């Protein structure tokens, strides 16, 4: 891990101005998108729902750019997958990194509450515009402008149709990518984030509905009453139970957050690095494959295309997790510890800012200046976080590949490169 810290210091020294600029660009893009989407959503729920995913995409584009900027200083990754020198290849690598990172990033974005923060900001802006529209109609015979849906796009045929159209458009772009203009890659990225965002949102809403339904069932009430009775009769058992719940909750947050960041980095960098994955086997699998082979060839081809497109989104996540597993507990544990220190520094800086500024009027000072004041903290923390994640991933790669003994030799004219972009890592 000493080598990883040395790599982190080098990356930060070389690239911190670019990292700051990219983070600010992503933050500004998110803010502008939410403002525009909130304005449009007050008039059209569909329009707002179609624009809102661009706020997520703004942060993802900034994150991918920040990680890719650091590639030239990542020694181990550079040996295994050298940076493309051709402009077209670099653009294609950036697009592939974006498309590969959308699914894990949106899932991470929703799980850690960032999506909820964006949604709150979106509906705050939407309600502000909607209130103005209502005020304009008071005392007049005019009707409120827009569809009066107040930005709500509920589960229904229209939402399902948007998901299907977006998924189909993304699939068609992938299938005919070589024949289409390169400018359509931006539309493909948007379609990917649109259908993934809507799908994740609908799945989360369905899970919340099911959870709420289960919690109101009589069986859940009986279990709750039984737990309270056992806790009252056996107080030490209740203390131990509450302690275990608290410990699992705290450890889960401390461990899963850095691993989620490393997984996203593994997916983005892993577009060039792919470890071998396990294959399913057994009698059931063989019988299913035999039945599948009896289908008409055209039907099998179409099913294979759809299945490959779906699996391709999850394979990079599995590969990144597999890489972390093979790297060993010492390296991953040290990375988690450093990430936790960074989280502590984040909270300490926010607390320190409030102590330095001191007490001030809530409405006249903090309501106006809070966003700009506390922007200083992520400007310090986010470059450090991205550098830590990138250097940790480079160290993970270093555990699975031979360490470079010197600068790579210049290839002879016409010779094949030693490490292809799709090189595979085997377990040792």
């Amino acid at each position: 891990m000493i080598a990883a810290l040395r790599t982190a210091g080098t990356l930060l020294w070389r690239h911190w101005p670019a990292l700051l600029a990219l983070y600010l660009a992503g933050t500004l893009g998110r803010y502008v998108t939410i403002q525009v989407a909130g304005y449009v959503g007050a008039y059209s729920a569909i329009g707002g729902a179609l624009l809102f995913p661009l706020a997520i995409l703004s942060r993802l584009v900034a994150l991918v750019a920040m990680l890719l900027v650091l590639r030239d200083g990542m020694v181990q990754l550079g040996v295994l997958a050298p940076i493309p020198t051709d402009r077209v290849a670099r653009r294609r690598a950036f697009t592939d990194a974006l498309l590969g990172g959308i699914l894990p990033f949106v899932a991470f974005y929703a799980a850690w509450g960032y999506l909820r923060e964006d949604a709150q900001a979106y509906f705050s802006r939407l309600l502000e515009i909607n209130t103005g529209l209502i005020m304009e109609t008071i005392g007049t015979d005019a009707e409120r402008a827009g569809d009066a849906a107040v930005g709500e796009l509920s589960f229904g045929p229209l939402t399902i149709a948007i998901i299907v159209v977006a998924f189909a458009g993304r699939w068609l772009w992938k299938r005919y990518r070589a024949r289409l203009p390169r400018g359509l890659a931006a539309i493909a990225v948007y379609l990917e984030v649109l259908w993934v965002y809507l799908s994740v949102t609908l799945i989360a809403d369905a899970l919340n509905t099911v959870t709420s339904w289960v919690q109101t069932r009589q069986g859940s009430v009986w279990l709750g009453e039984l737990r309270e009775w056992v806790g009252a009769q056996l107080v030490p058992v209740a203390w131990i139970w509450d302690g275990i719940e608290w410990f699992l909750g705290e450890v889960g947050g401390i461990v899963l957050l850095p691993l989620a960041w490393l997984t996203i980095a593994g997916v983005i960098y892993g577009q060039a690095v792919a470890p071998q994955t396990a294959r399913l086997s057994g009698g059931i699998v063989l019988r299913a494959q035999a039945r599948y082979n009896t289908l008409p060839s055209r039907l099998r081809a179409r099913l294979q295309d759809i299945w490959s497109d779906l699996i391709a989104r999850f394979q990079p996540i599995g590969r990144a997790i597999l890489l972390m597993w093979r790297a060993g507990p010492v390296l991953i544990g040290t990375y988690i510890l450093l990430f936790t220190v960074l989280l502590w520094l984040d909270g300490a800086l926010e607390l320190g800012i409030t102590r330095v500024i001191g007490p001030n009027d809530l409405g006249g000072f903090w309501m106006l200046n809070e966003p700009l004041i506390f922007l200083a903290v992520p400007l310090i923390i986010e470059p450090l976080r991205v550098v830590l994640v990138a250097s940790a991933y480079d160290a993970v790669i270093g555990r699975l590949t031979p360490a470079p003994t010197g600068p790579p030799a210049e290839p002879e004219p016409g010779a094949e490169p030693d490490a292809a972009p799709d090189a595979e890592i085997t377990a040792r």
Side-chain angles (χ1 to χ4, degrees):
M1 197 64 192
I2 301 299
L5 291 175
R6 187 161 48 247
T7 300
T10 302
L11 293 176
L12 187 63
W13 175 257
R14 290 180 179 177
H15 300 292
W16 68 266
L19 296 177
L20 285 178
L22 290 170
Y23 177 76
L24 283 174
T27 302
L28 179 61
R30 168 188 172 273
Y31 174 79
V32 173
T33 300
I34 289 177
Q35 297 300 306
V36 175
Y39 182 86
V40 174
Y43 291 89
S44 170
I46 298 176
L50 294 178
L51 288 175
F52 179 75
L54 294 176
I56 305 173
L57 189 58
S58 298
R59 283 192 171 184
L60 176 60
V61 170
L63 175 61
V64 171
M66 293 169 74
L67 289 172
L68 294 183
V69 159
L70 301 175
R71 275 199 63 178
D72 62 350
M74 299 172 66
V75 180
Q76 307 295 344
L77 182 60
V79 171
L80 185 63
I83 301 175
T85 56
D86 181 65
R87 180 179 298 180
V88 176
R90 292 171 72 95
R91 187 184 300 113
R92 184 186 181 94
F94 183 79
T95 303
D96 290 341
L98 273 178
L99 291 171
I102 286 174
L103 179 60
F105 184 80
V106 173
F108 161 78
Y109 207 74
W112 262 268
Y114 298 115
L115 183 58
R116 183 171 58 253
E117 293 179 3
D118 287 355
Q120 290 174 351
Y122 166 71
F123 280 104
S124 176
R125 171 64 172 168
L126 187 148
L127 292 175
E128 177 186 351
I129 302 300
N130 185 63
T131 301
L133 294 176
I134 294 175
M135 294 297 293
E136 291 177 358
T137 61
I138 294 178
T140 66
D141 295 332
E143 296 183 356
R144 177 200 176 282
D147 57 10
V150 198
E152 291 286 351
L153 186 63
S154 58
F155 179 81
L158 180 59
T159 307
I160 299 300
I162 293 175
I163 294 175
V164 171
V165 170
F167 181 85
R170 164 72 176 87
W171 180 80
L172 289 173
W173 177 85
K174 180 182 179 180
R175 182 174 179 83
Y176 301 104
R177 179 177 185 173
R179 307 178 190 176
L180 297 174
R182 285 178 293 188
L184 292 180
I187 298 178
V189 171
Y190 167 74
L191 292 177
E192 179 79 0
V193 74
L194 177 63
W195 85 261
V196 169
Y197 155 71
L198 290 177
S199 300
V200 168
T201 302
L202 293 181
I203 291 173
D205 290 343
L207 291 177
N208 290 334
T209 302
V210 173
T211 302
S212 300
W213 180 83
V214 171
Q215 290 176 349
T216 58
R217 298 302 92 189
Q218 188 62 40
S220 299
V221 176
W222 288 344
L223 288 176
E225 293 176 350
L226 177 62
R227 184 182 181 280
E228 292 180 359
W229 180 84
V230 172
Q233 302 301 318
L234 303 172
V235 177
V237 175
W239 291 347
I240 294 174
W241 183 268
D242 293 338
I244 292 174
E245 287 185 343
W246 174 85
F247 179 77
L248 292 178
E250 293 296 321
V251 171
I254 292 174
V255 173
L256 292 180
L257 180 59
L259 292 184
W261 274 93
L262 193 58
T263 301
I264 293 174
V267 171
I268 293 172
Y269 291 132
Q271 300 305 309
V273 179
Q276 293 178 348
T277 55
R279 293 180 178 272
L280 297 176
S281 60
I284 297 178
V285 175
L286 294 177
R287 287 193 296 270
Q289 290 177 346
R291 293 181 180 179
Y292 172 76
N293 291 332
T294 60
L295 297 175
S297 58
R298 289 189 177 182
L299 178 58
R300 278 188 285 129
R302 298 290 79 78
L303 291 175
Q304 181 65 29
D305 289 340
I306 297 174
W307 177 253
S308 299
D309 192 68
L310 287 172
I311 291 300
R313 291 171 172 80
F314 296 94
Q315 282 180 339
I317 301 175
R319 290 167 179 170
I321 296 174
L322 184 60
L323 285 176
M324 289 187 285
W325 177 263
R326 293 175 178 175
V330 176
L331 177 58
I332 299 301
T334 306
Y335 158 71
I336 292 173
L337 177 61
L338 294 175
F339 197 99
T340 304
V341 171
L342 199 60
L343 290 177
W344 174 86
L345 181 60
D346 189 352
L349 287 175
E350 290 187 353
L351 180 62
I353 287 178
T354 59
R355 295 298 182 267
V356 170
I357 295 177
N360 285 277
D361 180 67
L362 178 63
F365 180 82
W366 285 111
M367 294 294 290
L368 297 176
N369 301 312
E370 179 185 7
L372 291 178
I373 291 175
F374 285 101
L375 181 62
V377 176
L379 287 178
I380 298 173
I381 296 299
E382 294 306 322
L384 292 175
R385 191 198 313 271
V386 173
V387 165
L388 174 61
V389 171
S391 59
Y393 182 81
D394 197 52
V396 168
I397 294 295
R399 289 291 182 90
L400 306 173
T401 57
T405 57
E410 292 291 335
E412 297 180 0
E416 294 293 332
D418 293 334
D422 58 348
E424 292 187 344
I425 301 175
T426 57
R428 301 189 173 192

